[in-house]
Amino acid sequence: MACYAALLHQQPAASLSPLTSRRAGSCRVPPPPLLQSRAPPSSARARISPRCSYTAAGGSAGAGEPSAAALRRVLETPGAHQAPACYDALSARLIERAGFRVCFTSGFSISAARLGLPDVGLISYGEVIDQGRLIAEAVSIPVIGDADNGYGNCMNVKRTVKGFINAGFAGIILEDQVSPKACGHTQGRKVVSREEAIMHIKAAVDARKESGSDIVIVARTDSRQALSLDEALWRARAFADAGADVLFIDALVSREEMKAFCAVSPGLPKMANMLEGGGKTPILSPVELEETGYKLVAYPLSLIGVSMRAMEDALVAIKGGRIPPPGSLPSFEEIKDTLGFNHYYEEEKQYIVTPAQSSYRSGYYDYTSEAGSSGDTKSRTEKSQEPIIDILPQLYDLGSSGGRDRSSGMWSRTLRLKITGRDGIQKIDARIPAGFLEGMTNVIPGLAGANILERLRDAPIDSDNPQNGQILLDFEDGMGDRIQVFIA
């Protein structure tokens, strides 16, 4: 709650950044009263996405800081912030490892990596949410999720926003394309009506309020290619009035158009899409984009593109009887370090159970010691590490009689109990009275229904290890441990 308290702290208007001013209701065109408040109620419970503890250290989100708050903090700092597109947990982790403060998911790349299909509306809401949750859990930097057109009408949009919040996203991109939608730089783009597009943004804002979240809503319009630049600028203004936090016009074709867009609703951050390899928008440097007026810069195809080319080159090498050259292939140690193996091993050491701590070792003691004999105290001190059974008196009364008198000699014999773990490590090597087994025939699977006296008389010799004596019992328990009992 301390994070939210800081976000809600009232500052003098002159000291507010553009995004904070917008959220406080001091933008050029005030939003409707219902949408003026961006921050959740003070009693709202923020969802903090779980983070994998053995991933690479770093990230902009502080300990316990909601991801949306971390993203808003990034947007309120100077500069045009680069956000490479990820498509799975590994690519997201590499982005964080490289030092970027924010990343976003690319619907184009996720469709390619998860389905091997083009970005033409074939991927579903459930598949995107599933992929997004894994991505958000893998990193500590804020992740902006590509939600396409919200996967339906306004009610679908609300469900999508709430799903993205629960998946751990810091922001959500919603566009105004009709279904099925497609990449904004491809042919045949169509958009919904102005009224429906605005209602989608209002529905997203309502879903955020109902969830008690502060997820950043990025409103995107594809009307530049579908209709005209003027229509795209009009929709951007309308989205700002409806409560969007960041504005995004895709597929602008010139610097002049980009400047015209950044002049719209100056209190709100703008997002640029630097589609690599031949998109419609000019590729500008971060400095040039900042001077133009942009705050967020997306690079949607860099990682998926170079991955495709690298895999193709590697396959050519393998098919030719070679392996990829060292310059294109990290060493195994580098791969393990990137994936967090070393950190995992260090953390795992905290929970290793040694043989001395094994549950088998808490419950056995050597009944061959004679109580009261000279040096008894010293003997027990020296054998402090010996396995101990402190439950025998309750399980079997060695002094009881009845039905066993004729075989009392047999019952008084000493047995050797050995338990070896499935990893080959010996857990127990102790001595117990034979009479103990009589009361355990219904407990130990290997003795169920067995005639213990008969086994004691007819036990064979362990031919592999004669020193062990005669074998009475040899079986594996449900945990895979080998339990052996010998007549000593």
Side-chain angles (χ1 to χ4, degrees), residues 21-40:
S21 300
R22 167 64 177 166
R23 296 172 62 216
S26 60
C27 60
R28 186 173 61 83
V29 182
L34 178 63
L35 307 176
Q36 287 183 1
S37 175
R38 287 287 189 276

Side-chain angles (χ1 to χ4, degrees), residues 138-433:
V139 296
S140 59
I141 60 175
V143 182
I144 303 172
D146 183 355
D148 293 334
N149 56 7
Y151 307 101
N153 62 16
C154 288
M155 299 306 294
N156 291 103
V157 169
K158 292 185 71 173
R159 178 175 183 251
T160 297
V161 171
K162 293 177 181 179
F164 272 52
I165 291 170
N166 289 330
F169 282 107
I172 181 171
I173 304 173
L174 290 164
E175 61 195 55
D176 57 0
Q177 287 194 52
V178 300
S179 295
K181 58 83 58 187
C183 171
H185 291 250
T186 57
Q187 61 185 7
R189 296 306 93 236
K190 295 180 181 179
V191 293
V192 299
S193 68
R194 287 180 172 183
E195 294 76 15
E196 186 175 355
I198 294 170
M199 281 300 174
H200 281 189
I201 300 303
K202 288 185 176 181
V205 172
D206 288 344
R208 174 175 62 189
K209 182 179 179 181
E210 292 168 8
S211 299
S213 169
D214 202 22
I215 190 171
V216 174
I217 296 174
V218 181
R220 162 180 161 175
T221 179
D222 287 76
S223 54
R224 169 62 189 91
Q225 294 300 316
L227 299 171
S228 67
L229 175 62
D230 288 340
E231 178 66 17
L233 296 175
W234 189 96
R235 292 190 181 214
R237 294 188 188 95
F239 292 161
D241 295 344
D245 299 298
V246 178
L247 302 178
F248 174 22
I249 297 179
D250 198 21
L252 294 172
V253 300
S254 67
R255 288 173 181 255
E256 290 69 27
E257 289 189 359
M258 297 167 76
K259 289 179 181 179
F261 166 49
C262 289
V264 171
S265 301
L268 259 66
K270 310 299 188 302
M271 178 174 173
N273 187 20
M274 297 288 96
L275 189 113
E276 311 90 320
K280 298 180 181 298
T281 304
I283 301 296
L284 305 181
S285 69
V287 173
E288 292 174 311
L289 289 166
E290 180 184 5
E291 292 173 348
T292 303
Y294 285 100
K295 178 59 68 174
L296 272 177
V297 186
Y299 299 87
L301 299 183
S302 290
L303 295 191
I304 189 70
V306 298
S307 297
M308 291 169 64
R309 178 57 55 84
M311 285 189 282
E312 288 172 344
D313 292 344
L315 292 170
V316 169
I318 294 171
K319 193 171 184 179
R322 298 171 285 111
I323 62 171
S328 63
L329 179 67
S331 69
F332 185 47
E333 288 302 319
E334 290 173 324
I335 293 174
K336 290 194 298 180
D337 184 57
T338 297
L339 295 177
F341 273 85
N342 295 330
H343 194 152
Y344 173 89
Y345 293 145
E346 288 300 314
E347 185 175 346
E348 185 186 32
K349 291 178 182 178
Q350 303 175 49
Y351 310 104
I352 291 179
V353 177
T354 64
Q357 297 171 314
S358 171
S359 59
Y360 281 117
R361 301 187 69 90
S362 62
Y364 291 86
Y365 72 88
D366 192 346
Y367 267 91
T368 60
S369 300
E370 295 184 8
S373 62
S374 61
D376 178 65
T377 304
K378 179 181 179 181
S379 174
R380 289 186 177 273
T381 302
E382 291 175 348
K383 293 187 178 182
S384 60
Q385 298 302 316
E386 289 286 332
I388 295 175
I389 297 181
D390 54 9
I391 58 173
L392 276 179
Q394 288 75 37
L395 290 175
Y396 179 73
D397 184 359
L398 294 176
S400 65
S401 62
R404 295 192 304 275
D405 292 341
R406 63 185 180 86
S407 305
S408 58
M410 191 70 72
W411 288 118
S412 65
R413 297 186 66 174
T414 299
L415 304 180
R416 182 182 182 188
L417 173 66
K418 291 182 66 177
I419 299 178
T420 307
R422 57 184 178 181
D423 55 4
I425 297 177
Q426 184 171 290
K427 295 183 176 181
I428 292 294
D429 189 354
R431 297 179 183 277
I432 61 173

